[in-house]
Structures are given as structure tokens and as C-alpha cells.
Amino acid sequence: MFDPRTHLALALIYGAVVIFIRDTTGLVAAWSILLAVIGLMGQLRAYARWLLMLMPMALFFGGVTWWSVDRAAGLDAALSLLTLTSTFFVFFASTPPEDLGNALVKMGLPYSAAFVMSASLQFVPVITRKARGVMDAQRARGIELRPGWRALKNYPAFLAPLLIQAFQMAESLAEAMECRGYGRGGRRRLDDNRMRARDWTAIALGLVLGGGCLALRYAL
């Protein structure tokens, strides 16, 4: 519906609002809005898996802040991290990597840099599936890989096969790109991303609502 650049602008606006929110109530409200959007997108199961991986980092960040400042600051720090990263979960879940790369090229980013970024985003779920497969295979062999100090010595049995598969995928991608003439000039996409009236309207509304939220927050 919207241009990928509009998705990026709205994500940055919402992220800026989250950064300037300093109270628990506001952060919970911002996170609740994102949860509603994720539910409407039908991505709750994927978000739950992603949240399971992010939660230890949020707890660590909040714990360090709690230890250095106080409990309220620690809770707000953990909520800020969860809400901010959830904002970009919504962005990446709603924006195909190839469309984002082409939109960034339209903004002046070199094509090679945009391609590396979009290819990296596309390979994240592939690497995740391969990591899960390697972990299951090693556990079937009796190798303990659950998080903890006891399993630390077994991590090379997990990382080595995963790195080998990643290098094999990179080599296959390089060969495919070479066969398709990557880097030749004069090539154009079939669909051309354009900023339309609805895109500018959405960005303007995002700026107004974001500015209004911040003004209301500091007025109170």
C-alpha cells in the first residue's frame, strides 16, 4: 500500500517518540499499540519467537540500569529496548527486503550497499533455520547445547557446522550473481517505487501525531 520509504519514515518517527518517553505507562502504551499492529499483521507467532531471543538482552540491560540507578529506571530501560526493537520488527515484517533496497537506491544509496543490506535481511531467517537444524542434530548426538556454563565447551560443535554452511551459501550466492551479470549498468526494475500523495499524507500524519504525543508528554 505504501512506499518502503514511508514505512521507514514512520518507523523512525515512532522510534523517536519511544526514545523520548520516560515513564512506564507511556512505554507500556506504545508497546501495546505495536502488539495490536503485529496481531493485525498475523505475525504474533513470529514475534513470540523473536521476543524469546530478545528477552535475555532486555533483562540484562534493565538489570544493569537497575543496579546503577534504581528499579524504576531499570524497568523503563528494559521496556524502552523492547518497544524500540518491536518498532523495527513491525517495519521489517511489513517491508520486503528487496523493496527496501530498491527504495534506498532511489534515495541515493549505492546499489551495491543496498543489495548487501537486502540480501543480509533475506538470509537472516535462512541462517536461523540452519542454526536450529544444526542444534537439533547435535543434540540428537548427545551434545548438550542449552545456554549455560556447562555447555560452553560444546559451542564449537554448533558454530563450526553453521559457519561452514554460511560460507557455502555465500559462495553459491556469489556464483549466481556472477551468472546473472551482477554489476552491469543499464539495468532497471520492472516496478518503479514512487512516493505518492498517500505516502506524503501518512508521513505528515506521523509527524503531527508524534509531535503531539511528545508535546503532551512534556506538557504534563
Side-chain angles (χ1 to χ4, degrees):
M1 180 178 179
F2 292 110
D3 188 270
R5 287 167 288 186
T6 304
H7 293 180
L8 179 60
L10 293 176
L12 292 175
I13 292 169
Y14 200 88
V17 172
V18 170
I19 290 173
F20 284 102
I21 295 177
R22 300 297 183 185
D23 59 278
T24 305
T25 304
L27 290 170
V28 170
W31 194 15
S32 301
I33 293 172
L34 292 173
L35 288 176
V37 173
I38 293 170
L40 292 174
M41 293 170 59
Q43 296 286 335
L44 283 175
R45 185 171 297 181
Y47 179 71
R49 292 195 299 267
W50 174 86
L51 193 63
L52 188 63
M53 294 186 296
L54 180 68
M55 192 59 71
M57 184 185 301
L59 292 175
F60 175 77
F61 183 53
V64 170
T65 308
W66 182 355
W67 178 74
S68 58
V69 185
D70 56 31
R71 183 174 61 181
L75 179 60
D76 291 345
L79 284 173
S80 296
L81 179 62
L82 289 174
T83 308
L84 188 61
T85 51
S86 298
T87 301
F88 289 95
F89 174 88
V90 172
F91 168 66
F92 288 117
S94 62
T95 309
E98 59 274 13
D99 290 347
L100 176 60
N102 291 312
L104 293 176
V105 169
K106 296 276 287 186
M107 294 173 63
L109 187 71
Y111 178 75
S112 57
F115 177 82
V116 168
M117 186 191 70
S118 60
S120 301
L121 293 174
Q122 289 175 326
F123 271 91
V124 168
V126 178
I127 294 295
T128 301
R129 288 195 298 269
K130 288 188 176 295
R132 193 177 298 119
V134 170
M135 186 172 293
D136 291 341
Q138 300 296 50
R139 283 177 177 172
R141 294 180 174 91
I143 300 176
E144 180 60 46
L145 290 174
R146 294 179 182 177
W149 291 108
R150 296 180 60 184
L152 190 61
K153 65 180 184 300
N154 297 328
Y155 279 9
F158 165 71
L159 294 175
L162 184 62
L163 287 175
I164 291 173
Q165 294 186 35
F167 285 130
Q168 289 174 343
M169 290 170 53
E171 185 177 359
S172 299
L173 177 61
E175 292 176 353
M177 291 167 57
E178 186 176 356
C179 292
R180 289 167 173 78
Y182 174 79
R184 293 181 181 177
R187 305 182 66 177
R188 298 179 60 187
R189 279 183 54 84
L190 181 62
D191 53 337
D192 191 18
N193 294 316
R194 293 183 182 179
M195 293 288 288
R196 296 178 172 82
R198 61 172 178 260
D199 295 296
W200 295 113
T201 302
I203 293 174
L205 287 175
L207 288 171
V208 170
L209 291 175
C213 290
L214 291 177
L216 181 62
R217 161 70 180 81
Y218 285 102
L220 296 177

